[in-house]
Amino acid sequence: MTLGQAVDELVTANRILAREGVVDSFGHVSIRHPDRPDRYLLSRARAPECIEADDVMEFTGDGAPVDAAGRKPYSERFIHGAVYDVRPDVQSVVHHHSPSVIPFSVTGARLSPVMHMCAGIGARIPTWDSRASFGDTNLLVTNLAMAKELAAALGERPVVLMRGHGCVVAGASLREVVFNSIYLQLNADLQMKAHALGDITFLSAGEIAAVLSTRGSFTFERAWESWCRRAGRPYHARP
Amino acid sequence: MTLGQAVDELVTANRILAREGVVDSFGHVSIRHPDRPDRYLLSRARAPECIEADDVMEFTGDGAPVDAAGRKPYSERFIHGAVYDVRPDVQSVVHHHSPSVIPFSVTGARLSPVMHMCAGIGARIPTWDSRASFGDTNLLVTNLAMAKELAAALGERPVVLMRGHGCVVAGASLREVVFNSIYLQLNADLQMKAHALGDITFLSAGEIAAVLSTRGSFTFERAWESWCRRAGRPYHARP
Amino acid sequence: MTLGQAVDELVTANRILAREGVVDSFGHVSIRHPDRPDRYLLSRARAPECIEADDVMEFTGDGAPVDAAGRKPYSERFIHGAVYDVRPDVQSVVHHHSPSVIPFSVTGARLSPVMHMCAGIGARIPTWDSRASFGDTNLLVTNLAMAKELAAALGERPVVLMRGHGCVVAGASLREVVFNSIYLQLNADLQMKAHALGDITFLSAGEIAAVLSTRGSFTFERAWESWCRRAGRPYHARP
Amino acid sequence: MTLGQAVDELVTANRILAREGVVDSFGHVSIRHPDRPDRYLLSRARAPECIEADDVMEFTGDGAPVDAAGRKPYSERFIHGAVYDVRPDVQSVVHHHSPSVIPFSVTGARLSPVMHMCAGIGARIPTWDSRASFGDTNLLVTNLAMAKELAAALGERPVVLMRGHGCVVAGASLREVVFNSIYLQLNADLQMKAHALGDITFLSAGEIAAVLSTRGSFTFERAWESWCRRAGRPYHARP
């Protein structure tokens, strides 16, 4: 994939996340730079629904813009670099505030897969509370110290919740993190509905492992084509 | 109905199920082959919202493509053949993951008609759990052995739930299974709302029987015209 | 208003109720015939979203089409005639299955105004259960006997619920019944949300009376203009 | 900003609030007159979704139209003048009936920020009940006496709820009150979801203060661009 194609896919990912209600005017998605693995690509500070290719900036791992050209970066870009730094397997990161996910972050209710499509969110999702180490802040992860602690809370998992704020989703490809972001939201919705009906049977650890070991890119691809159509973006197969 | 018309109706059914939120990028609908009752028609592996006539493939009862022509089939196509095999009355099958239905599959809460339009889902809906016989799997019904057990759980009923996965809806026509899929979703929504308000009066067995014995194709037809319009598909009356 | 204008408004009412989610492919709205008060105007059996002026038929009070011209009437048209017969003040009737309203019909939970815009639904809404007098039926009101009992349950009120089925809304004008249908749905939604939070303070009888005594056609008019726009219909002021 | 630009922004605000579901056919938003701080600008009585520049009227603080030119004002315009009168810091006021907010007004459940984006609604939101001083009314604030009491209940806060009616949101700019109106609605949604899951951790007083002290116009600006796009309105940066 060329850099231009990568940027184009990143724009599409922003539009998809907006269309599917995972992000509103806030939240962001990045990819590791295809040629410079110590850098990442991320839009300037703009609502995901409005982002164009020219908005995409290049950042070094500590969040410095390589060539800002007058563009204002997201104040929370540090999240992305901190995750790429400690997770060489990660090629893409989403930070979002899905309204289905936040209730779990402020209640401590367990969020865990109830459906096979949602297995990629992991069996147990931790919640990071910025107040524990940093006290009363505006909750934004606006420096590397906070971002590193958040990345540590994520650990080797695909998802970490942020109390009163949102979550981070990290994975091996842009399509995977978009997929897991959307199905994280769905799993949260399903759990809230099921919770009102009675005790929930979650997927077993063995089932989660079986889904992950048998899932290939064709699953992400099928969803991606459909989400592109809904978001009004051209679809380019990446089989 | 010619084979071409049948294929066209199948495309419409996919678009309707996507438009009404019954399927997302996954789930599928088939019809028994109009001329070869031991075969069925089903799209290649693609999101229902994107399906075109050229995507529709022909399969033998055991899930083998008659002429794949490079098209990749759904891994869960076996569900369809297994149901057609044991249910000669069935002309169409939907497998879907409606987010309203799944909570019932993971809680054991009773799902039963609360409204006359929903009587076609049957008085009691069983839940099949793949783990009981097959242990920890990815929950996908990717072979005939699983599909036959699922079809046996369906029995003579119109609907069976699949724990942590979704459901199967089987019926005498494409319009009937689409209708029952959409009203299964509505009934699940209605029950979740009613459950929070107090004890529910379900339809009686006699009422369900009365609805089924008096319902004609004009009911399906009226809804089909409206769903075609919403899905941006031409409507062809089949009175 | 000419007969043509009345028919045009009736088409608009159907489209509005569909757009606002009060009706799906089923449910219907009628007006008393402007020149023949013993007759009423109602579409042929068609989904509200699809109705055109040519679909509107004229019926006598007992549900006989004056000139069917090959058009199939709704099987439940008797509801309309029965209400017009005993309620000379009523100029328009809606029968609908709003998914927010049905949960109240199957649980016996009280449905009563919690907000000033919803006062028009009346302080206490009765529920009619077809099974009490007619036993196990398909729940459809397909004859005058059932319709008369339903109209008696409505009495002098604006709304009656039908157990496991839907409701009837009757009022002094087409705009009023559409308004009260939409705000009945909203009130049901509000009550379900509030019920989960704690004990509800309903409007007092005095407040309901005050809303009704001060509400003029300008209230219906303001909403009607907006709903016409959303439904893609031209707006004609009727001050 | 010229008067024409201010009017244009006010039209946009109306469309945004309608598009985001904060207002339906009712509710209104005003701005203090840019050149005459004792006056305010507010549309004639019309649904927010339909408002054009020519609908915007000028009012004196006591609610008298400066030049009605045949336009009928909102009966509740007094709310706006009463707030501007006692709150020199306030440049814009919204009165709305968000269906997420009303349940809190009729149950007394605490409404308080659970997420950083919602901190602007204030730590504690009072509820004003018109019945306490004015008895059984139609709940509308149609005179200065009621409006002054409501403004007193608001005090120095950004939001006050109105029992069985809606709320008032006041702030230092049009973009701020639109932002806080939309995030008030989101916070109410989040709280209702979280309430069903368990005990809620609200933002601390220190966190709310930290959000407010660090939030700049770029936050409102980012959301405004996105909301303009969704509402089909041109976006004009006001950095």
Side-chain angles (χ1 to χ4, degrees):
Chain A
M1 203 187 309
T2 67
L3 181 60
Q5 286 172 330
V7 166
D8 187 65
E9 294 279 69
L10 190 56
V11 172
T12 295
N14 275 282
R15 303 297 185 89
I16 287 172
L17 290 169
R19 173 64 181 79
E20 301 304 321
V22 172
V23 296
D24 56 2
S25 301
F26 301 91
H28 20 88
V29 51
S30 69
I31 48 174
R32 201 186 278 277
H33 194 294
D35 308 318
R36 291 281 309 256
D38 57 333
R39 295 183 176 180
Y40 59 92
L41 302 172
L42 178 69
S43 171
R44 69 175 172 100
R46 197 176 194 193
E49 191 166 354
C50 302
I51 289 170
E52 305 288 350
D54 287 347
D55 295 320
V56 176
M57 302 171 67
E58 185 177 333
F59 294 93
T60 60
D62 60 1
V66 173
D67 180 10
R71 295 169 295 181
K72 180 181 170 58
Y74 292 119
S75 66
E76 292 197 295
R77 62 194 177 280
F78 303 98
I79 295 171
H80 300 267
V83 173
Y84 290 123
D85 188 43
V86 297
R87 287 282 299 274
D89 61 308
V90 165
Q91 298 299 321
S92 186
V93 174
V94 180
H95 166 55
H96 70 76
H97 309 160
S98 163
S100 303
V101 173
I102 289 172
F104 289 86
S105 85
V106 297
T107 55
R110 171 187 177 186
L111 183 53
S112 186
V114 294
M115 182 209 180
H116 65 312
M117 305 302 299
C118 306
I121 66 174
R124 284 277 178 173
I125 299 176
T127 298
W128 176 73
D129 187 341
S130 58
R131 193 156 52 192
S133 295
F134 299 93
D136 280 347
T137 67
N138 64 7
L139 288 92
L140 298 178
V141 180
T142 52
N143 59 60
L144 267 180
M146 292 180 82
K148 282 174 189 290
E149 193 183 278
L150 172 59
L154 173 66
E156 298 303 310
R157 299 180 194 83
V159 181
V160 61
L161 303 191
M162 304 160 76
R163 193 266 309 161
H165 184 156
C167 65
V168 174
V169 181
S173 73
L174 181 64
R175 294 185 186 196
E176 181 181 316
V177 295
V178 169
F179 188 94
N180 283 344
S181 292
I182 291 170
Y183 281 101
L184 172 66
Q185 176 169 273
L186 178 64
N187 200 81
D189 284 336
L190 292 174
Q191 266 194 247
M192 287 188 283
K193 290 175 180 174
H195 181 77
L197 291 175
D199 287 340
I200 300 174
T201 301
F202 292 91
L203 293 202
S204 70
E207 288 175 329
I208 292 172
V211 172
L212 295 180
S213 69
T214 57
R215 190 161 69 180
S217 63
F218 60 88
T219 298
F220 303 140
E221 206 63 30
R222 196 193 309 175
W224 191 265
E225 183 192 16
S226 170
W227 288 326
C228 284
R229 177 173 303 217
R230 288 161 61 96
R233 292 283 299 174
Y235 164 66
H236 303 293
R238 307 259 185 246
Chain B
M1 206 187 306
T2 67
L3 182 59
Q5 287 172 328
V7 166
D8 186 67
E9 294 277 70
L10 190 57
V11 171
T12 296
N14 274 280
R15 302 298 186 88
I16 287 172
L17 290 169
R19 173 65 182 76
E20 301 304 321
V22 172
V23 295
D24 57 2
S25 301
F26 301 91
H28 19 88
V29 50
S30 69
I31 48 173
R32 200 185 278 278
H33 194 294
D35 308 319
R36 292 281 309 254
D38 57 331
R39 296 184 174 177
Y40 59 92
L41 302 172
L42 178 69
S43 171
R44 69 175 173 99
R46 198 175 193 193
E49 192 166 353
C50 302
I51 288 170
E52 304 288 349
D54 287 348
D55 295 320
V56 177
M57 302 171 66
E58 184 177 335
F59 294 93
T60 60
D62 60 1
V66 172
D67 179 12
R71 295 169 295 182
K72 181 180 169 59
Y74 292 119
S75 66
E76 293 197 295
R77 63 194 178 280
F78 303 99
I79 295 171
H80 301 265
V83 172
Y84 290 123
D85 189 42
V86 298
R87 288 279 299 271
D89 61 309
V90 165
Q91 299 299 320
S92 185
V93 173
V94 180
H95 167 54
H96 70 76
H97 309 160
S98 162
S100 302
V101 173
I102 289 172
F104 289 86
S105 85
V106 298
T107 54
R110 173 186 175 187
L111 184 52
S112 186
V114 295
M115 183 211 181
H116 65 310
M117 305 302 298
C118 305
I121 66 174
R124 285 277 179 172
I125 298 177
T127 298
W128 176 73
D129 187 342
S130 59
R131 193 155 54 193
S133 295
F134 298 93
D136 280 347
T137 66
N138 64 7
L139 286 95
L140 298 177
V141 179
T142 53
N143 58 59
L144 267 179
M146 292 180 83
K148 281 174 188 291
E149 194 183 277
L150 173 59
L154 173 67
E156 298 302 311
R157 298 179 194 84
V159 181
V160 61
L161 303 191
M162 302 159 77
R163 193 268 307 161
H165 184 154
C167 65
V168 173
V169 181
S173 73
L174 180 65
R175 294 186 185 194
E176 180 181 317
V177 294
V178 168
F179 188 95
N180 283 343
S181 293
I182 291 170
Y183 281 101
L184 172 65
Q185 177 169 272
L186 178 64
N187 200 80
D189 285 336
L190 293 173
Q191 267 194 248
M192 287 187 283
K193 290 176 180 174
H195 180 76
L197 290 176
D199 288 338
I200 300 174
T201 300
F202 292 90
L203 292 202
S204 70
E207 288 175 329
I208 293 172
V211 172
L212 295 181
S213 69
T214 57
R215 190 162 70 181
S217 63
F218 60 88
T219 299
F220 304 139
E221 206 62 32
R222 194 192 313 174
W224 191 264
E225 183 192 16
S226 171
W227 288 326
C228 284
R229 178 174 301 215
R230 288 160 63 95
R233 293 283 299 174
Y235 165 65
H236 302 293
R238 308 260 184 245
Chain C
M1 204 186 308
T2 67
L3 182 60
Q5 287 172 328
V7 166
D8 187 66
E9 294 277 71
L10 190 57
V11 170
T12 295
N14 274 281
R15 302 298 186 89
I16 287 172
L17 290 170
R19 173 65 182 77
E20 302 304 321
V22 173
V23 296
D24 58 2
S25 301
F26 301 91
H28 20 88
V29 51
S30 70
I31 48 172
R32 200 185 280 275
H33 194 295
D35 308 319
R36 291 282 308 256
D38 57 333
R39 295 183 175 179
Y40 60 93
L41 302 172
L42 178 69
S43 170
R44 69 174 173 102
R46 199 175 192 192
E49 192 166 354
C50 302
I51 288 170
E52 306 287 352
D54 287 348
D55 295 320
V56 176
M57 302 171 66
E58 184 177 335
F59 293 92
T60 60
D62 59 0
V66 172
D67 179 11
R71 295 170 296 181
K72 182 182 169 57
Y74 291 120
S75 66
E76 293 197 295
R77 62 194 177 280
F78 303 98
I79 295 171
H80 301 265
V83 173
Y84 290 123
D85 188 41
V86 296
R87 288 280 298 274
D89 60 310
V90 165
Q91 299 298 322
S92 185
V93 173
V94 180
H95 167 55
H96 70 75
H97 310 158
S98 163
S100 303
V101 173
I102 289 173
F104 289 86
S105 84
V106 297
T107 55
R110 173 186 175 187
L111 183 52
S112 186
V114 293
M115 182 212 183
H116 64 311
M117 305 302 299
C118 305
I121 66 174
R124 286 277 179 172
I125 299 176
T127 299
W128 175 74
D129 188 340
S130 59
R131 194 156 52 194
S133 295
F134 298 93
D136 280 347
T137 66
N138 64 6
L139 286 93
L140 298 177
V141 179
T142 52
N143 58 59
L144 267 179
M146 293 179 83
K148 282 173 187 292
E149 194 183 276
L150 172 59
L154 173 66
E156 296 304 308
R157 300 180 193 85
V159 181
V160 61
L161 304 190
M162 303 159 76
R163 194 266 308 161
H165 184 154
C167 66
V168 173
V169 181
S173 73
L174 181 65
R175 294 185 186 194
E176 180 180 317
V177 294
V178 168
F179 188 95
N180 283 343
S181 292
I182 291 171
Y183 282 100
L184 172 66
Q185 177 169 273
L186 178 65
N187 199 80
D189 284 337
L190 293 173
Q191 266 196 249
M192 287 187 284
K193 290 176 178 173
H195 180 76
L197 291 175
D199 288 339
I200 300 173
T201 300
F202 291 90
L203 292 202
S204 71
E207 288 175 330
I208 294 171
V211 173
L212 295 181
S213 69
T214 56
R215 190 161 70 182
S217 64
F218 61 88
T219 299
F220 304 139
E221 206 62 30
R222 192 190 317 172
W224 192 264
E225 183 191 16
S226 172
W227 288 327
C228 283
R229 179 174 302 216
R230 289 162 61 95
R233 292 283 299 174
Y235 166 65
H236 303 293
R238 308 256 184 248
Chain D
M1 203 184 310
T2 66
L3 182 60
Q5 287 171 328
V7 166
D8 187 65
E9 294 278 69
L10 190 57
V11 171
T12 296
N14 274 282
R15 303 296 185 92
I16 287 173
L17 291 169
R19 173 65 181 77
E20 302 304 320
V22 172
V23 295
D24 57 2
S25 301
F26 301 90
H28 20 88
V29 51
S30 69
I31 48 174
R32 200 186 279 277
H33 194 294
D35 309 319
R36 293 281 307 257
D38 57 333
R39 295 184 176 180
Y40 58 93
L41 302 172
L42 178 70
S43 170
R44 70 174 173 103
R46 197 177 193 192
E49 191 166 354
C50 302
I51 288 171
E52 306 288 351
D54 286 348
D55 295 320
V56 176
M57 301 170 67
E58 185 177 334
F59 294 92
T60 60
D62 60 359
V66 173
D67 179 10
R71 295 169 296 180
K72 181 182 169 57
Y74 292 119
S75 66
E76 293 197 294
R77 63 193 177 280
F78 303 98
I79 296 171
H80 301 266
V83 173
Y84 290 122
D85 188 42
V86 297
R87 288 280 299 274
D89 61 309
V90 164
Q91 299 298 322
S92 187
V93 173
V94 180
H95 167 55
H96 69 76
H97 309 159
S98 162
S100 303
V101 173
I102 289 172
F104 289 86
S105 84
V106 297
T107 55
R110 172 186 175 186
L111 184 52
S112 187
V114 293
M115 182 209 182
H116 64 312
M117 305 302 299
C118 305
I121 65 173
R124 286 278 177 170
I125 299 177
T127 298
W128 175 73
D129 188 340
S130 58
R131 195 156 50 193
S133 295
F134 299 93
D136 280 346
T137 66
N138 64 5
L139 286 91
L140 298 177
V141 179
T142 52
N143 58 60
L144 267 179
M146 293 179 83
K148 282 173 187 290
E149 193 183 276
L150 172 59
L154 173 67
E156 297 303 310
R157 300 180 193 84
V159 181
V160 61
L161 304 191
M162 303 159 76
R163 194 265 310 161
H165 184 156
C167 65
V168 173
V169 181
S173 72
L174 181 65
R175 294 186 187 194
E176 180 180 316
V177 294
V178 168
F179 188 95
N180 283 344
S181 292
I182 291 171
Y183 282 101
L184 172 65
Q185 177 169 273
L186 178 64
N187 200 81
D189 285 336
L190 293 173
Q191 266 194 248
M192 287 188 283
K193 290 176 178 173
H195 180 77
L197 291 175
D199 287 340
I200 300 173
T201 301
F202 291 91
L203 293 201
S204 70
E207 288 176 329
I208 294 172
V211 172
L212 295 181
S213 69
T214 58
R215 191 162 69 181
S217 65
F218 59 88
T219 299
F220 304 140
E221 206 62 30
R222 194 191 312 173
W224 191 264
E225 183 192 15
S226 171
W227 289 326
C228 284
R229 178 173 302 215
R230 289 162 59 96
R233 292 284 299 176
Y235 165 65
H236 303 293
R238 307 256 184 249

